[in-house]
Amino acid sequence: MNGCFITGFPGFLASMLLKEMLKRYKECEFVLLVHPSQIEKAKDLAANRPNVRLFTGDITKDGLRLSPEQTDWLKNHITHVFHLAAVYDLAVPEQIAANINITGTRNINAYVKELPHLARYVYFSTAYVSGNRTGLIKEDELDAGQTFKNHYESTKFAAEKLVAELDGVPYTIIRPGVVVGHSKTGETIKFDGPYFIMRFLDKLRYVPVPYLGKSEALFNVVPFDYIIDATLCLAESDDAVNKVFHLTDPSPYESRKLYRMICEELIGKAPSWTIPPAVVEFMLSFSFFRRFFKVEKEALEYFRCACQYDAANTIKVLAKAGVQCPDFKDYVSSMVAYYKENRKDPEKLVYIK
């Protein structure tokens, strides 16, 4: 890689991607597209990096609001583009999601088509473009007439379609599952997704703990270091050109078993009874209970997602580089330990309305 253009900085995955790439590609020039509202934070994270440039811009605007001089520089130097900028809030209003996820991707698409030295355009989608589909979801499937649980899913689905329709652009689309902390250190930037389980269990450590329903659905979590390693492998693999990859756990645990493992690791005991999902949903329809248990109502849907993500092509390509997804049971202790040490950090907490 000679020149890399990364959107979504200083977001967590973009920051971790840059950190790893700086180790691997010491001669590479990096340009980070940063929204004006994030420029000060970006400056702190990118300080003292002579091969890192910050370009203030906006993916929702034509030309990304970059100057002619900046555009010329990108055309002369960029070989790889990593588009991570998106809104990930499960409760995001439709217009905001559409503006950032769809219009933003359309504008990035237009930009990459003007880069004469482009070797790869890596687009970060999500496994949950599958919406409410059930059963086996294959990597070469996208539009199956599915409906969606929220505007995050529907707009990422629409954005992925825009990328897949590009002509003459060597793209790679990745679909991560639910991303959690580092498999060895547990490090993460915020406690959402599966961490809502821990925030919920924190309130119940002195009482008999319930299972949240009897669902046998699989819950697909992946540590971010696997996402980074896999992304960089795919970005350089000729086998990944114009293809889609599920960066999901090939052997996911049932939600109920994953919940028990977290419970035992966090509070030292297993759940002993079951509360009906309808009761949990009813409780979380009230803001008081959402704030008390620190759980988003929208997150419950992902614990009963009745589908499995086929990752056969991903496994095949990554095996050539020795990259594989860790087993959840091997890193749940690191994940929980990091949560215990940082659960009162206000910057890692997700505000619940």
Side-chain angles (χ1 to χ4, degrees):
M1 296 186 189
N2 298 319
C4 292
F5 184 46
I6 303 174
T7 73
F9 192 83
F12 182 58
L13 272 183
S15 299
M16 294 300 102
L17 180 65
L18 175 67
K19 183 178 180 180
E20 182 61 28
M21 293 178 79
L22 285 168
K23 296 178 185 176
R24 299 192 190 190
Y25 311 107
K26 299 186 183 300
E27 304 302 320
C28 185
E29 294 283 343
F30 296 92
V31 174
L32 313 176
L33 184 69
V34 181
H35 191 272
S37 64
Q38 299 295 308
I39 194 63
E40 293 306 317
K41 181 179 179 181
K43 287 179 180 178
D44 289 341
L45 292 177
N48 302 316
R49 301 286 189 180
N51 57 334
V52 175
R53 300 165 185 250
L54 301 181
F55 284 6
T56 303
D58 188 337
I59 64 170
T60 69
K61 308 300 181 185
D62 290 342
L64 313 182
R65 282 212 167 152
L66 296 178
S67 69
E69 293 75 19
Q70 290 172 324
T71 296
D72 287 342
W73 195 96
L74 292 172
K75 287 182 178 180
N76 289 328
H77 295 86
I78 295 303
T79 59
H80 290 73
V81 174
F82 296 83
H83 179 32
L84 294 89
V87 58
Y88 296 95
D89 184 357
L90 300 180
V92 65
E94 182 176 14
Q95 188 54 52
I96 295 175
N99 193 36
I100 297 173
N101 293 346
I102 301 176
T103 302
T105 298
R106 184 180 290 113
N107 289 335
I108 292 292
N109 287 355
Y111 214 86
V112 299
K113 290 169 70 173
E114 300 301 318
L115 300 177
H117 307 296
L118 184 69
R120 192 67 55 86
Y121 171 32
V122 180
Y123 172 69
F124 278 67
S125 183
T126 172
Y128 298 101
V129 293
S130 59
N132 285 315
R133 288 185 62 189
T134 58
L136 186 66
I137 312 297
K138 295 185 177 180
E139 293 168 299
D140 59 359
E141 298 173 333
L142 177 58
D143 193 344
Q146 65 265 47
T147 57
F148 300 97
K149 296 182 281 294
N150 49 60
H151 300 308
Y152 164 67
E153 289 184 351
S154 63
T155 55
K156 292 297 286 182
F157 165 84
E160 183 179 319
K161 288 186 70 173
L162 292 175
V163 176
E165 292 168 357
L166 284 171
D167 289 326
V169 173
Y171 65 78
T172 295
I173 295 171
I174 66 169
R175 296 179 185 160
V178 177
V179 181
V180 296
H182 194 283
S183 62
K184 295 292 192 294
T185 67
E187 178 189 6
T188 187
I189 195 171
K190 61 181 178 178
F191 295 135
D192 60 357
Y195 297 92
F196 285 133
I197 297 176
M198 300 184 208
R199 300 172 74 181
F200 173 75
L201 291 172
D202 266 343
K203 299 292 185 179
L204 302 175
R205 61 176 57 250
Y206 301 115
V207 300
V209 178
Y211 283 107
L212 306 181
K214 297 181 179 181
S215 173
E216 296 180 353
L218 302 173
F219 189 61
N220 207 297
V221 297
V222 282
F224 81 78
D225 50 310
Y226 167 67
I227 297 295
I228 299 302
D229 288 343
T231 295
L232 294 179
C233 174
L234 295 171
E236 294 192 286
S237 172
D238 292 337
D239 296 328
V241 176
N242 295 351
K243 293 181 181 177
V244 180
F245 297 88
H246 279 152
L247 296 192
T248 52
D249 188 339
S251 301
Y253 289 93
E254 292 180 358
S255 299
R256 189 176 173 90
K257 187 171 183 179
L258 181 141
Y259 176 85
R260 187 182 73 243
M261 282 192 280
I262 292 176
C263 186
E264 291 173 337
E265 190 70 36
L266 181 64
I267 61 177
K269 59 183 177 181
S272 57
W273 61 289
T274 300
I275 185 171
V279 174
V280 180
E281 284 190 12
F282 177 75
M283 291 172 61
L284 294 182
S285 65
F286 297 97
S287 59
F288 167 78
F289 286 106
R290 291 197 299 273
R291 290 194 298 267
F292 177 76
F293 287 111
K294 296 181 173 61
V295 176
E296 284 183 332
K297 181 181 180 181
E298 290 79 9
L300 293 178
E301 291 286 347
Y302 294 90
F303 290 93
R304 57 190 185 207
C305 187
C307 62
Q308 182 168 2
Y309 295 97
D310 175 63
N313 197 35
T314 300
I315 294 170
K316 180 180 178 181
V317 176
L318 295 184
K320 297 177 182 180
V323 177
Q324 61 182 3
C325 183
D327 191 306
F328 181 78
K329 68 177 175 57
D330 294 330
Y331 64 86
V332 61
S333 58
S334 298
M335 181 178 163
V336 172
Y338 186 85
Y339 170 78
K340 285 181 177 179
E341 293 171 6
N342 297 276
R343 58 185 154 196
K344 294 184 179 180
D345 184 345
E347 293 189 1
K348 296 185 183 297
L349 299 179
V350 177
Y351 176 71
I352 304 299
K353 297 180 180 179

